[in-house]
Structure formats: C-alpha cells, structure tokens
Amino acid sequence: MCHHPAARLRLCESHVRSSDHHCHCFYSMGNLIKVLTRDIDNNGGNFFLDFENAQPSQSETDVWEKVNQVLTEAQVILEDLQSYRGAGEEIRQAIQNPSVEGVQEKAWSAVVPLVIKLKTFYEFSQKLETSLQCLLDVLTSSSSTPTQHLEQKQALARQFAHILHFTLRFDELKMTNPAIQNDFSYYRRTISRMRINNLSSEAGSEVNNELANRMSLFYASATPMLKTLSDATSKFVSDHPEVPIENTTDCLSTMASVCKVMLDTPEYRSRFASEETVLFCLRVMVGVIILYDHVHPAGAFVKTSNIDMKGCIRVLKEQPPSSVEGLLNALRYTTKHLNDETTSKQIKNMLQQN
C-alpha cells in the first residue's frame, strides 16, 4: 500500500463536472478543504484535497491535452447512448411480414443509422484504451512512488477518474438497453441474407465483416467498456516488464482507498455539493477495483489485498439500490478473482444477489 499520506486523499474530490452535467462546484468558495487522514494513516495529519480544480502543470500538458480531446468526445458518446432508442418495433414488423418489401425497407433504413452509431461507440472504446495507457505510462513511471504521482499530477489523476466514470456510466446504460444487441444482430442477419441472395453488392458497406466480428464481441460483453479497460491495463503491464507491477496496483488501490474514505466519512461526504458527486466516487471506486483485480496476480479479494473490499462493498450497499445495482453487477460479473477459493465467504455473501 502507498504510505505517503500527502496524496492518499487528494484523489476523490473526484466529482468535478460529472458526465451528466448535474454537478455544481464542490464548495461554493472553491476553497481547498483540509481532510483528517487518520482514517487511512492513523497519523492524525492534515492535508489538502483539490480534485476539483486541478490544472495541468507544464510537464503534464501534452498528455492532458490528448486525453482531454477524448474526454470531450466521451460526453457526446454518453448523450448518444442515453438517447439510443433502437429499432425494436420496425424489426418486429419486418420479422412478422417477411414478404412485404416496404416493411423490410423501413426496418433496414431504421437500423443502418443505429449501426453507424454503434460503430462510433466501438471505435471510441479504442481511443479510450489509448488514453488510459498514456495516463498509466505517466502515473506508474518509476521516477516517483505511485502516491507522489497522484499528488503531483492531480490533473492527470483527475482525467483517469473521469475515464473510469465514463466507463461505468457507459456500461450501466448499455446493460439496461437490450435494443443495442438486437439491432446489431438484425443488421448482421439481414446482411447475410442479402449476400446469399445477391441482392446488393453494397450490403454491409457501413461495417465490413472483420469490424462487425469485433463489434459483436465487444457488445456481447455485459460491460464492454470495462472489459476494454481491464484488457488495456493488463496489456500495459505485460508490455512494460521494466515497470514493477506494484507501481500500477498501488496507483489503483490508492484511488480505491481515497474514494472509499470520501464516501464513508460523514464529515467529508456532507461537503459534496451534489448527489451526482457520490455516484462519481462510487463509479471510480468500482472501476479501479476491477482494474486492480485484473492486474494484481492475487486479485482484489484476497485477505492480503491492499483494498478493503468489505469496506468498499459495504459503502456500495449503503446507497439506494437503484443507483448501485449496476455497480454491484460489475463487481459480480466483470472481476476476475471473485469466485476464487481465496475469496472469503463473507465477501461472496455480501455480493450475493438478494
């Protein structure tokens, strides 16, 4: 675990402007708050948190600007996904009236623009992967401890939190929208039929076959963006054998601790300007736990883990069920080690569906 008190808690001022635009300034005066860190370090020391206004220093600017472009697009992606209605009715009609040409055409013209949207979402996941790897590159380099990185590069740590927040939000929306997979399956079935019947040489020009296969795999996952990030983090670790794995896992576990303490301590939590801030912290906490579980050889659930899993799950279960069910499902179905024998019965029971 990282023992430098000065950065442990900088992190979860993470509300910043949440993806759903509901947040206002954390503190009306915009002042930094002092936080007692006895919860983490038992040293009773004070230090500052500023996750709200962290601006990039000169050395961070290049990476920050690249990632910022991706985060700006992330807002648009979430809005598009939120308003994604699907072509369920047109598809139903087309299946019921297979020989009525007009009905078939109507379904096809409803589905094609939706598939183009799904293609944009998929391509965005690859941009997100690149951004995550850029940030990990900086936040895990051996020039400082992971905690010092988080403290000294708060603007990049804040972007990392935003990537996780976007990821969990995207997956929550995708999980509750069955139209996405139905639309894409219908598109693929119709393309095969057109090709078999030689109806159109243009069939499938929106998405070629190789891309369609990759998109199918992506959308088949319950949490596609989280899977992308988990795979990217694991790949980052295996591609950089010169970087000790602890650099990455300590960075992730510190972020998880910070979020948990922010959520768990009434005196901090009462300062949140908006309920959306609480959700932001919850999503970031779950995101880093899942990445940690994929990257750490023993995972997040063993007794020796640097993450207080019981505490994190308890914090989740204290929230209104409707706002955390998607996050609990992400822990149940997207982690790697939950069902290992080394995971205590107590943790498994806490995550059982009621």
Side-chain angles (χ1 to χ4, degrees), residues 15 96 111 139 160 180 186 307 320 335:
H15 107 310
Q96 283 164 10
V111 163
L139 294 173
F160 188 29
I180 290 176
Y186 177 79
I307 297 177
T335 45

Side-chain angles (χ1 to χ4, degrees), residues 114-174:
L114 292 171
V115 166
I116 291 169
K117 248 183 199 178
L118 295 179
K119 177 185 170 187
T120 306
F121 298 165
Y122 169 70
E123 287 169 342
F124 182 74
S125 74
Q126 296 169 300
K127 295 181 197 173
L128 204 65
E129 182 176 337
T130 306
S131 294
L132 178 79
Q133 290 181 328
C134 283
L135 290 172
L136 284 173
D137 215 22
V138 180
L139 294 173
T140 64
S141 77
S142 294
S143 58
S144 305
T145 67
T147 323
Q148 286 164 342
H149 279 311
L150 293 176
E151 181 183 9
Q152 292 153 10
K153 301 186 177 72
Q154 289 194 40
L156 299 185
R158 170 182 169 178
Q159 286 185 319
F160 188 29
H162 268 280
I163 285 178
L164 290 165
H165 178 260
F166 162 82
T167 298
L168 271 291
R169 185 74 191 110
F170 181 97
D171 287 348
E172 282 166 9
L173 289 167
K174 184 263 173 187

